[in-house]
Amino acid sequence: MTDARSSAPPSIAHRYAELLERAVFAEDPLQIETALAEAADLGRILIAQEIALEEVGELHHEALLVLARAHPDLPLGLVAARMTAPLMETYMAYSLAFREQLERRAEAIVHARLEQSRKLEAIGTLAAGIAHDFNNILGSILGFSELMTEDLPADAPSQRYLDYIQQASFRARDLIARLLTFARAVADSPPVPIEVVAQIREILGLLKVSLPAVIRLDFEPDVSEAWVMAEPTQVQQIIMNLCINAADAVGQGQGRIRVGVECLPAHGDPSLSGDHMVRLSVADDGEGMSPDVQARVFDPFFTTKAPGKGSGLGLSVIHGLVGKLGGQIEIQSAPGAGSTFIVDLPWLPPEQAAAGAQTPSQSEEEP
Amino acid sequence: MTQVLIVDDDEIFRTMLEEMVQREGYEVTAVGDGDAALHAVDQSPPDLIITDILMPEKDGMELMTELAQRGSQIPIIAISGGGRTINLDFLELAELMEVRATLSKPFTRESLRQAITEALSPRT
């Protein structure tokens, strides 16, 4: 029944051919409707079985050949009239399912990347928390044993035991210090030269698919490349968080987010090392912020989002990240006039960047 | 007699520190958080405050900020078992707030003695 050209399972090809045949020979509207519903199901099955679009075309072609061979006398007009609807139905279901799958995939990548940096942060927080509590416990053990040393006669045999307790406590303290050093090393990967224009383009490509379609996300870099020293995920985290916030500010309706990259002379700004800075900007035409909100927006746990919608940590983390990179972040906003977040980072001269360059595709692997 | 106020939310540690400081010859009051500490300061201002940093409710940082806002001149020793996050050292922050001495938990009796002497000596 099937031609050797298609790698789609024979059962699918058979089902497709049979479906077309039933549509062509349908005698009442109900039969046509049933064929249409089945065509839509088939479109979704084709996506679920990862059958490529060109193979769907081949399936269709084969089904037509089968139909023509079986009914050489069938008028072409009837075939065309009866077949177009189920064909369109299949394709529409196919492309909808395809779009959904694409969105899910992009979302999964965005999510995995955010999750990764959160995980590293969590390891650090967990280690720090355990270290804090253990140090408190050791403080009590050590302190009480020192007090007992004083209470017992100097020649009491237990003095030796107390000495051991203290030695063991110090060992535990050193172990905790080593655990913290290790956790810091895990949580911090070393900074490398990062080309932000390409990296931001890649991130926005991912974000575009996961943001609501009514929001336009435009990338308008003023330069073709700009280098900074950063950990591979830091710029990514900054841009993602700012864009997700911008999308929230735009809300349900139509809106536009513009992301820019500029290289500016840093003169007059003593806080930025070097003579140039890289300015990243994320501007939205959303609801904007009052001066009151602007003043608090970087505070940990401050959020304007509905309960459960935001931790209030995103911008405070970004603020910390930008500071760690030796940069600055500021806001231009007014209620009703949208918000622009401006991040200035120390510029890395391209000749220095070339020494240890990293493109976004490499940044997935070992630094 | 020199009055020392101890502020720490860990009850066992607080008991230990209270005993240790008493044995050094000071009169000690011990409380479990920043609010109780402010209350104690209002009741009878101590000559020295030894405070933990991380505490529920009002923590050591808030306590120090509030005392500074009131223009308090009471010397402070900040003690801590370390930060809750990995890249933030509370004792470094405390130093920025001009505490007289800092101690990392666990500490020895000897380092406590030194810190108290340092904190009670007139500022140079």
Side-chain angles (χ1 to χ4, degrees):
Chain A
M1 183 127 193
T2 47
D3 196 282
R5 290 190 310 158
S6 172
S7 59
S11 62
I12 292 261
H14 178 79
R15 212 174 138 183
Y16 194 90
E18 200 225 13
L19 175 70
L20 281 188
E21 193 166 343
R22 262 193 290 127
V24 170
F25 293 105
E27 278 171 3
D28 63 59
L30 183 65
Q31 278 177 323
I32 295 180
E33 281 302 314
T34 313
L36 283 183
E38 209 181 309
D41 286 345
L42 195 65
R44 282 188 286 271
I45 290 168
L46 290 171
I47 280 294
Q49 300 204 353
E50 293 178 357
I51 291 166
L53 187 62
E54 49 275 23
E55 280 186 40
V56 178
E58 282 167 18
L59 273 181
H60 180 67
H61 181 79
E62 286 156 26
L64 270 184
L65 289 179
V66 170
L67 189 70
R69 270 188 224 119
H71 308 278
D73 51 340
L74 199 66
L76 189 63
L78 179 68
V79 176
R82 291 284 176 87
M83 224 187 56
T84 308
L87 176 68
M88 294 305 291
E89 200 64 44
T90 308
Y91 274 113
M92 265 159 56
Y94 183 89
S95 61
L96 271 177
F98 183 67
R99 165 85 193 176
E100 271 166 26
Q101 202 183 53
L102 202 66
E103 279 175 19
R104 271 200 301 277
R105 227 180 303 163
E107 249 167 46
I109 295 172
V110 171
H111 193 72
R113 289 195 179 176
L114 282 176
E115 200 52 35
Q116 175 66 8
S117 54
R118 273 192 208 126
K119 232 182 255 168
L120 291 176
E121 228 173 84
I123 292 175
T125 309
L126 180 70
I130 292 174
H132 171 268
D133 289 2
F134 263 89
N135 282 333
N136 267 293
I137 294 165
L138 286 172
S140 303
I141 295 174
L142 192 64
F144 279 121
S145 69
E146 279 196 285
L147 289 172
M148 275 177 79
T149 308
E150 193 179 76
D151 293 348
L152 289 170
D155 57 351
S158 306
Q159 287 287 5
R160 202 158 47 96
Y161 303 156
L162 286 174
D163 190 42
Y164 289 149
I165 292 177
Q166 287 160 27
Q167 281 181 34
S169 303
F170 284 123
R171 258 171 57 195
R173 181 196 62 188
D174 295 344
L175 183 67
I176 291 164
R178 283 212 299 278
L179 168 79
L180 272 184
T181 311
F182 173 74
R184 273 194 201 102
V186 171
D188 292 343
S189 48
V192 289
I194 298 279
E195 203 286 286
V196 295
V197 176
Q199 201 184 36
I200 293 175
R201 185 168 285 125
E202 192 198 0
I203 300 159
L204 296 186
L206 289 171
L207 271 171
K208 227 171 229 171
V209 199
S210 55
L211 292 181
V214 285
I215 296 178
R216 247 179 76 187
L217 182 59
D218 292 329
F219 187 36
E220 301 167 340
D222 277 10
V223 287
S224 59
E225 61 167 49
W227 294 84
V228 299
M229 278 302 266
E231 290 169 28
T233 57
Q234 282 172 334
V235 174
Q236 191 177 311
Q237 246 186 308
I238 293 170
I239 293 296
M240 273 189 183
N241 273 286
L242 291 180
C243 286
I244 290 167
N245 275 337
D248 286 335
V250 167
Q252 297 298 313
Q254 294 216 333
R256 187 172 175 210
I257 300 170
R258 281 174 301 144
V259 180
V261 180
E262 295 165 81
C263 279
L264 300 171
H267 53 71
D269 195 342
S271 62
L272 288 166
S273 55
D275 55 349
H276 280 70
M277 61 189 182
V278 174
R279 170 165 289 182
L280 315 177
S281 58
V282 175
D284 67 66
D285 56 2
E287 56 197 10
M289 286 179 282
S290 67
D292 197 40
V293 171
Q294 285 179 50
R296 296 176 58 202
V297 87
F298 294 118
D299 291 354
F301 306 111
F302 176 77
T303 181
T304 57
K305 297 175 190 177
K309 286 283 180 184
S311 64
L313 283 176
L315 280 176
S316 69
V317 169
I318 295 308
H319 190 262
L321 264 183
V322 172
K324 224 165 135 188
L325 294 174
Q328 286 182 330
I329 184 164
E330 58 174 272
I331 312 166
Q332 290 168 356
S333 181
S339 305
T340 303
F341 282 82
I342 294 170
V343 176
D344 290 335
L345 297 175
W347 176 75
L348 185 69
E351 59 273 17
Q352 281 180 37
Q358 226 192 26
T359 58
S361 54
Q362 285 172 303
S363 66
E364 296 294 295
E365 284 132 41
E366 280 290 301
Chain B
M1 211 205 274
T2 308
Q3 306 256 357
V4 179
L5 173 65
I6 291 171
V7 193
D8 199 308
D9 62 315
D10 185 325
E11 199 187 332
I12 300 177
F13 188 87
R14 190 171 68 230
T15 309
M16 185 281 293
L17 193 58
E18 201 178 340
E19 178 70 22
M20 207 177 248
V21 177
Q22 261 168 12
R23 288 195 190 187
E24 296 301 315
Y26 303 104
E27 199 175 309
V28 180
T29 312
V31 295
D33 65 61
D35 280 321
L38 285 174
H39 188 68
V41 170
D42 287 339
Q43 297 288 307
S44 133
D47 303 292
L48 172 69
I49 297 173
I50 303 178
T51 181
D52 187 23
I53 307 277
L54 269 178
M55 290 179 289
E57 305 303 328
K58 187 162 283 163
D59 67 21
M61 285 299 176
E62 290 170 291
L63 172 65
M64 286 188 268
T65 313
E66 229 171 292
L67 286 170
Q69 279 166 356
R70 295 176 174 194
S72 158
Q73 297 294 313
I74 305 169
I76 294 172
I77 298 175
I79 54 176
S80 175
R84 275 276 169 210
T85 56
I86 202 149
N87 288 314
L88 195 62
D89 188 332
F90 284 115
L91 288 180
E92 275 173 26
L93 275 177
E95 270 165 26
L96 291 177
M97 297 185 73
E98 300 196 336
V99 298
R100 298 297 290 270
T102 57
L103 281 174
S104 292
K105 290 179 188 174
F107 48 79
T108 59
R109 202 169 169 185
E110 189 45 44
S111 44
L112 176 69
R113 278 190 197 113
Q114 281 173 17
I116 293 178
T117 313
E118 205 181 310
L120 287 176
S121 66
R123 245 182 226 265
T124 45

